[in-house]
Amino acid sequence: MDDDITRRTLVGAIIGGTAVGGSLSPVRSYLRRFAPLSGSAWASATDDVNGSVESDYGSAKLRYDGDGVPNVTAENEAALYFAVGYAQARDRLFQLDLQRRLMRGRVAAVVGELAADSDEFHAQMDFAGAAETTWNHVVDADPDAAELVRAFSAGVNAFIENEPLPLEFGLLEYDPARWTPEDTMLMEKQISWTLTGSFLTLRRAKVASVLGPEAATDLYPERLGHDSPVIRGKDEGKTSEGTTANDVRRERGATDSEVVGAPLLDWLGGFERDRGIGSNSWLVSGKHTKSGKPIVSNDPHLSLMAPPVWYEVNLKRGDMRVRGVTFPGVPFVIIGENHAGAWGFTNAGADVIDFYRYETDGNRYRYGGNWREFEVEEREIEVADGENRTTTVRKTVHGPVLEREGYRVGVAWTGHTATESTIAIREYATSDGVEDFRAATERFDEPTQNLVYADRDGNTLYYVTGRIPRRTVDGEEVRGGRIFDGSAGEGEWKGFEPFGVSTWEGFVPFDEKPHVTDPDVIATANQRITDDQFLSEGYASPYRGQRIYELLDEATNDGDVDVNTMERIQDDTLDKRAEALVPTLLDAARREDGLESAVETFSGWDYRMERDSKAALLFVRWFDAYREAVLADTFDEAGLSEEYHPRDWVLAHLDGERWFGSGGRSATMVHALRVAWKRVEEGGDETYGDYNTTEAITHPFDQSFLNFPVLVTDGSSHTVNNYRKNSAVGSSWRMICPMAGDSQAIIPGGNSGDYFSDHYHDQLRRWANTEYKPMSHEIRGDVAVEFGGKE
């Protein structure tokens, strides 16, 4: 190996790319040259831990069931979460540490220069400051919940201080710092940013400036024209999405161009939420089930990695039972069920971030007719084996300012204020029914989610969570898809206090947010929430939502829905894109020479993205070729990358000479088919399964021994059984919870992050085959660790 290529810089290249959501660096191939299991790395690779651990919070016991899920019992709630903290550290400590380093802007300190740009972004956004503000608020608002977070942190630290560290720390040759309650609040901010952090407004402004407003409207329409919103018809209990906004638009001129320069947008593009991230959830009331009790299903679509993003736990304290998943670093179950009911989430897509331009003069900005000083702090970015950087953290009355090479934009994001979601999810675990759950949901102020809930008394509930801002310009309520004049106070959120405690008076009240009390059937797949009102500019393509409602309508007409019904829906692989586009494509292709084999492959296809289907392989190749044919030349000439591509539903509905030239849409579709068929013939793949494997699900280091096995699976980016190989996003947790009967679930990998554990990837094959494991509340397994004495 070249002397100037060190282990740290190579690992840094990989982690730097992974952490910011960009493509994995090609230097991963160099890392495979290492023989890492030697020296300090090998010394840290052991599962020889203590069976007895001191705790100041009371007695508890940690067991592991046959799937590696920690089963924790305790004499009180604080003792319970101390044990949960210890278990998370035992199973996922490197994941915890990497996540908080990312959000604090401290990854370069252990991996080097290649993570420094990421650190600068996270420092300028000051997620850590928002986490500290939130922690201080939780302490005041709910001292009991705060004490449980402290207990959890103490449990993490008990492992750090007394047990061998995981393998990854040996590879990078550093030790983790103590875990703090602020770190747990930081994980709340990370979750929220992953789901709501979008620079779509800035991209739209850029497209408008280089391609014109009409092209921007074509590519980013304010409404996707479909008939399958979450809330259908005139459901009783429904409210609107809030007040209809008059969209006061102004011509975009030089002022916007000064904000959306390429250096700034190119930098920011790697740090926003993955546009492929979404989820499915639905519930069916007892009116339509065999048992007469409701059933809840949920499969959130998040990044797929080794170890998985979710961590499953089974907890018991007195009469409280709660089982489900949480994110490493968060003590409380986020998705799951307790003794009373079950709940799940999908992303609501609400627009909770705004951008501002300012009139500036040196370190001053004009606001409300006066000049103000930016709030400024210089922060040092530590760079291992390199020169440290200094970045300027600048803030206005609206929030932080992001700047790069002379371009500057102000940001207001709901996660930058004190929030109470930590309190809400703790209350979910102890809730005794729908009224408790609704009350807890009122405190769930970030992120905006579609919540579905059912309980064993037969109640069902749908609610949009999170704070949704209302914006005004010259007294008129407007939408947020524009860059506001911050100096003039345009679009401000009344009662919002960045890095403080907000009153939320300018936000949609809880009772006015979209909700349905006791729905018989409701399905969410990130599609538009209602037909009559505006909530977001970032709704997903409606294909999954349409398909779920089709299947549910068919099933509920029979009136005998059960767990098997829910399994079939979660396993459904019909791609509504193909259903809509392939018939038109075939009509055009049959009139052309040289496409007989491609036409034969598509003829009779049922539009299912199944592993043994050659038609599914041809379709995924064709859709990629079609996207290139429609967009590539226009975007390349304008200097726009793939980050500016529209949603697939928009691409499928584009029309007109601007996008298809004089030959029209049909000619472009046929041209793409010729390209796709050639790629299939030359690519060596025979069926969709040859392409659609779990190869993309990798460890941050992407070493073969740390990666999961490569398995064949089904599904696409727009099927209910969701897997998106190109972006390593898909069903990150599948759960089915009947209110009468046994619940079941699966994660894509294993519950342990320890490579040497039997549970490192023991659920992966079942996940790839859409199979399940039991999700029992029964406490199982032998005692692995006892805390603070006997129960």
Side-chain angles (χ1 to χ4, degrees):
M1 174 176 288
D2 296 340
D3 291 340
D4 62 342
I5 299 179
T6 68
R7 173 165 61 194
R8 177 171 280 142
T9 57
L10 292 173
V11 174
I14 293 164
I15 291 181
T18 304
V20 302
S23 299
L24 291 173
S25 170
V27 303
R28 65 169 67 177
S29 59
Y30 291 107
L31 193 59
R32 297 192 181 102
R33 297 183 186 179
F34 289 119
L37 296 185
S38 59
S40 60
W42 179 258
S44 64
T46 176
D47 60 0
D48 183 17
V49 297
N50 292 313
S52 179
V53 175
E54 292 184 5
S55 169
D56 293 334
Y57 293 92
S59 63
K61 290 180 181 177
L62 168 63
R63 300 170 172 87
Y64 286 92
D65 65 21
D67 293 298
V69 176
N71 285 233
V72 184
T73 57
E75 67 174 349
N76 62 65
E77 217 174 345
L80 185 78
Y81 288 110
F82 177 92
V84 170
Y86 182 92
Q88 284 196 18
R90 184 181 188 188
D91 296 330
R92 301 286 189 92
L93 182 58
F94 180 69
Q95 193 176 20
L96 267 73
D97 190 66
L98 181 59
Q99 288 173 166
R100 69 169 168 181
R101 280 189 173 275
L102 173 68
M103 294 299 287
R104 289 188 178 279
R106 295 178 181 172
V107 179
V110 296
V111 305
E113 179 69 28
L114 287 165
D117 280 353
S118 170
D119 284 355
E120 284 198 51
F121 169 78
H122 288 88
Q124 286 189 19
M125 282 291 285
D126 197 16
F127 295 109
E132 182 176 357
T133 297
T134 294
W135 170 242
N136 291 335
H137 179 64
V138 169
V139 170
D140 292 336
D142 192 332
D144 291 341
E147 185 63 13
L148 300 182
V149 176
R150 291 191 186 98
F152 170 85
S153 301
V156 174
N157 292 327
F159 183 89
I160 291 174
E161 293 164 4
N162 297 297
E163 308 295 354
L165 295 175
L167 167 68
E168 292 90 343
F169 292 101
L171 283 169
L172 288 173
E173 299 175 336
Y174 82 96
D175 293 335
R178 289 174 57 83
W179 191 264
T180 68
E182 291 87 346
D183 292 329
T184 289
M185 301 302 107
L186 196 60
M187 297 305 95
E188 179 186 310
K189 304 303 175 184
Q190 181 188 40
I191 296 162
S192 299
W193 181 255
T194 299
L195 294 170
T196 65
S198 170
F199 298 119
L200 176 61
T201 294
L202 302 182
R203 285 200 305 275
R204 181 189 291 106
K206 178 68 173 180
V207 169
S209 69
V210 297
L211 295 180
E214 184 177 338
T217 299
D218 286 348
L219 296 171
Y220 307 114
E222 294 172 351
R223 178 188 177 90
L224 302 184
H226 64 86
D227 59 358
S228 190
V230 172
I231 301 176
R232 303 186 295 178
K234 300 295 183 180
D235 293 290
E236 184 177 355
K238 181 190 89 163
T239 67
S240 74
E241 287 192 8
T243 304
T244 301
N246 296 312
D247 191 13
V248 181
R249 292 195 173 273
R250 300 178 179 179
E251 291 296 319
R252 287 176 165 77
T255 51
D256 275 8
S257 297
E258 291 170 359
V259 170
V260 295
L264 179 63
L265 285 186
D266 290 348
W267 177 55
L268 295 180
F271 307 117
E272 65 181 330
R273 68 179 180 88
D274 189 314
R275 285 182 289 164
I277 285 177
S279 306
N280 302 322
S281 70
W282 60 90
L283 65 78
V284 177
S285 76
K287 179 179 177 180
H288 298 290
T289 64
K290 287 182 179 179
S291 67
K293 295 289 188 179
I295 306 177
V296 171
S297 294
N298 191 201
D299 57 293
H301 307 159
L302 298 173
S303 297
L304 305 178
M305 62 185 71
V309 297
W310 294 107
Y311 180 76
E312 187 177 1
V313 293
N314 183 25
L315 310 178
K316 174 186 175 183
R317 191 269 307 164
D319 293 333
M320 185 194 83
R321 307 279 193 282
V322 61
R323 179 163 185 162
V325 287
T326 187
F327 290 104
V330 176
F332 311 117
V333 169
I334 296 173
I335 294 174
E337 67 173 348
N338 72 351
H339 51 282
W343 60 94
F345 293 102
T346 66
N347 200 18
D351 187 358
V352 297
I353 185 170
D354 277 346
F355 302 95
Y356 301 89
R357 60 180 182 269
Y358 301 97
E359 182 182 352
T360 61
D361 177 24
N363 197 46
R364 301 188 304 166
Y365 68 101
R366 186 179 289 278
Y367 177 73
N370 300 307
W371 288 100
R372 295 193 177 200
E373 297 284 331
F374 286 105
E375 181 183 336
V376 177
E377 178 187 354
E378 300 295 328
R379 292 193 188 176
E380 186 175 34
I381 305 296
E382 183 182 353
V383 180
D385 300 330
E387 185 175 345
N388 291 354
R389 296 188 188 183
T390 299
T391 191
T392 302
V393 179
R394 210 180 303 268
K395 298 175 183 176
T396 72
V397 295
H398 302 115
V401 175
L402 298 174
E403 47 192 329
R404 196 78 164 177
E405 297 183 25
Y407 294 92
R408 175 184 290 171
V409 65
V411 179
W413 176 57
T414 53
H416 273 134
T417 191
T419 50
E420 296 185 356
S421 293
T422 293
I423 299 171
I425 61 172
R426 182 256 174 154
E427 291 179 352
Y428 285 170
T430 58
S431 62
D432 285 324
V434 68
E435 292 308 318
D436 285 352
F437 207 87
R438 187 196 302 267
T441 300
E442 191 164 2
R443 305 187 80 162
F444 197 110
D445 39 26
E446 71 162 342
T448 52
Q449 297 282 283
N450 296 296
L451 165 70
V452 293
Y453 171 83
D455 63 29
R456 303 185 204 285
D457 292 331
N459 301 297
T460 58
L461 180 68
Y462 164 79
Y463 231 109
V464 171
T465 73
R467 299 292 183 173
I468 303 169
R470 285 172 164 164
R471 307 150 171 96
T472 58
V473 175
D474 297 331
E476 297 283 347
E477 190 169 340
V478 300
R479 297 174 179 175
R482 52 183 289 191
I483 301 171
F484 291 107
D485 183 346
S487 291
E490 288 185 348
E492 291 182 328
W493 307 343
K494 188 176 181 181
F496 180 70
E497 184 67 34
F499 305 99
V501 179
S502 296
T503 65
W504 304 111
E505 58 193 289
F507 291 69
V508 178
F510 180 72
D511 290 338
E512 294 182 23
K513 288 192 289 188
H515 66 276
V516 185
T517 300
D518 286 326
D520 287 338
V521 177
I522 199 158
T524 82
N526 318 113
Q527 77 271 41
R528 186 172 66 250
I529 292 174
T530 73
D531 264 336
D532 57 347
Q533 300 294 336
F534 178 86
L535 182 67
S536 169
E537 297 184 309
Y539 291 131
S541 296
Y543 299 117
R544 287 180 289 111
Q546 290 173 333
R547 181 59 177 163
I548 293 168
Y549 266 130
E550 285 178 358
L551 295 168
L552 286 173
D553 288 345
E554 178 183 331
T556 54
N557 282 337
D558 297 334
D560 58 355
V561 173
D562 59 11
V563 168
N564 291 334
T565 310
M566 301 306 205
E567 289 178 355
R568 289 193 297 271
I569 297 175
Q570 284 194 340
D571 193 29
D572 187 78
T573 59
L574 188 143
D575 194 316
K576 298 287 286 184
R577 292 176 306 169
E579 185 182 58
L581 294 170
V582 169
T584 303
L585 172 61
L586 283 176
D587 286 345
R590 287 191 176 105
R591 299 191 294 268
E592 302 288 332
D593 294 329
L595 290 173
E596 292 80 8
S597 295
V599 168
E600 182 181 358
T601 298
F602 273 147
S603 297
W605 181 40
D606 59 4
Y607 312 121
R608 296 182 183 277
M609 306 300 287
E610 301 280 356
R611 64 189 70 183
D612 59 354
S613 170
K614 185 168 185 175
L617 173 65
L618 179 57
F619 177 74
V620 75
R621 297 298 189 201
W622 174 81
F623 200 85
D624 287 344
Y626 182 65
R627 181 186 293 108
E628 293 169 10
V630 175
L631 301 176
D633 288 346
T634 300
F635 276 49
D636 288 347
E637 290 173 6
L640 300 173
S641 69
E642 292 181 1
E643 293 174 1
Y644 294 85
H645 282 177
R647 286 160 287 186
D648 284 359
W649 191 94
V650 173
L651 174 61
H653 288 79
L654 281 178
D655 209 346
E657 188 170 340
R658 177 188 184 96
W659 304 108
F660 296 100
S662 58
R665 185 168 180 259
S666 293
T668 303
M669 295 176 81
V670 170
H671 166 74
L673 183 58
R674 293 187 187 279
V675 173
W677 184 252
K678 182 178 181 181
R679 289 175 180 174
V680 168
E681 285 193 313
E682 297 177 352
D685 294 339
E686 296 293 331
T687 65
Y688 188 56
D690 295 327
Y691 160 83
N692 204 50
T693 72
T694 62
E695 180 182 10
I697 305 177
T698 61
H699 187 279
F701 289 177
D702 196 31
Q703 282 201 334
S704 59
F705 83 101
L706 287 172
N707 288 344
F708 290 162
V710 176
L711 303 176
V712 173
T713 192
D714 306 306
S716 75
S717 57
H718 293 289
T719 56
V720 182
N721 181 353
N722 198 261
Y723 180 58
R724 315 168 195 191
K725 179 182 175 180
N726 288 340
S727 58
V729 168
S731 298
S732 60
W733 162 254
R734 294 192 186 105
M735 179 185 79
I736 301 173
C737 296
M739 295 298 95
D742 299 326
S743 298
Q744 56 190 43
I746 201 75
I747 58 173
N751 212 47
S752 175
D754 176 7
Y755 165 74
F756 298 97
S757 169
D758 292 338
H759 305 294
Y760 187 63
H761 57 70
D762 58 323
Q763 298 181 51
L764 182 65
R765 188 172 298 278
R766 285 175 286 178
W767 174 87
N769 294 329
T770 324
E771 298 170 353
Y772 301 83
K773 63 176 183 59
M775 187 178 155
S776 171
H777 287 279
E778 180 184 346
I779 299 299
R780 298 176 177 175
D782 297 329
V783 175
V785 183
E786 190 163 357
F787 301 90
K790 298 181 179 180
E791 291 182 81

